[in-house]
Structures are given as C-alpha cells and as structure tokens.
Amino acid sequence: MPLPVPVLPEGVDPAWLPPAAFRAVGSRRTLIRGSGPLVETVHGEVAEACRRFGGRVVRDAVPDGTYDLVLGLGGDGLGGEAFAFAREDGTTTVTASGGRGLLHGLFHVVRRGEAAFTGAWAREIHRPALALRMLDQLDEPCDAGRGSG
C-alpha cells in the first residue's frame, strides 16, 4: 500500500527547509572563518537567514566573545565530512577541517534550533554517515527510450 503524500503549506518546497527553520541562526551574531566554495555556501545561507531575522554575519574577524555562533575551518584533522560542535561561555562553535564538514555543521545547528544556543554543550565530534551530494537535473529519472539529458 503506497504511503500518502503529505500536503505542504503554501510556499513550502518539499526539497528545502522553510525559511523559519533558520530563525535561531538568523537572529544572532555569527562569525564565519575560512575560504572556499562551501564556506561561501555557508556564508550565503547564514547571510540570508540574518537578512530575514535581523541577525548579523561577519567574515574572518578575530573571535572576541561578541558572537553567538562561530563557524570556521580549523586544523583539527577531523577529515572530509566531520565537524566539532560545542557551546561554551555563550558562544556556539562549529569547527571543521574542510568546507563539507562546515556545511554539515551548519545543518546540525539549524536542526537543533534554539537549543543550539542555550546552556553549555561539551565538544562533540560528528562524522556524518552520508556524504554531501548536490542534486541537479541529472538526478531526475529519464523517460524510457529517450536517454539521459
């Protein structure tokens, strides 16, 4: 028996998170450290969230305790997709060796929502089981007999 297709609210794309999912991140002061294409993606997501919800995002400044969230590349030797998450002294921190891990870390903070910004969180290392993957038109099934693309 097939599963029923959920009815989504008007304006919600089933492939993406609704803008409200970024409220906790977008209403805060965020510092992003590092460079590369996926760091730019992280910056773009946070910048759009801040535009919507009144927060502020800064690039490559020295962490000085005035940020609620610090997302950055570091030499932890975590490898590809892994990241470290912690919260101490009022600052939530995500550190990764590369851009993929940083993007995973941003998604982790978004999933936690307001909880990512309350209390203290001991440093946790996360090694996602699935690698990041970009979807495009080649992921669509092709019609029989018509080939791909």
Side-chain angles (χ1 to χ4, degrees):
M1 171 177 218
L3 295 174
V5 176
V7 177
L8 298 172
E10 180 70 29
V12 173
D13 184 320
W16 306 108
L17 292 172
F22 286 85
R23 184 181 314 279
V25 170
S27 63
R28 294 198 159 69
R29 299 160 300 175
T30 300
L31 168 62
I32 298 174
R33 302 186 59 153
S35 62
L38 291 176
V39 176
E40 294 304 319
T41 298
V42 167
H43 178 250
E45 292 288 340
V46 173
E48 174 60 19
C50 288
R51 185 192 67 74
R52 284 182 186 269
F53 300 109
R56 179 174 57 97
V57 62
V58 174
R59 291 295 300 268
D60 295 318
V62 176
D64 61 4
T66 62
Y67 300 100
D68 303 302
L69 175 61
V70 176
L71 299 156
L73 300 181
D76 287 332
L78 295 169
E81 310 278 329
F83 63 93
F85 170 86
R87 179 162 172 78
E88 181 179 24
D89 298 328
T91 301
T92 300
T93 305
V94 172
T95 308
S97 294
R100 290 179 180 200
L102 197 63
L103 189 55
H104 275 296
L106 171 62
F107 294 154
H108 181 75
V109 172
V110 170
R111 279 190 306 274
R112 285 201 172 176
E114 287 296 327
F117 300 100
T118 58
W121 294 87
R123 187 171 189 258
E124 307 167 346
I125 303 296
H126 294 266
R127 299 186 192 291
L130 299 174
L132 287 176
R133 191 167 95 77
M134 295 300 292
L135 300 177
D136 63 21
Q137 71 276 6
L138 297 178
D139 288 307
E140 295 294 324
C142 60
D143 292 337
R146 291 182 38 179
S148 63

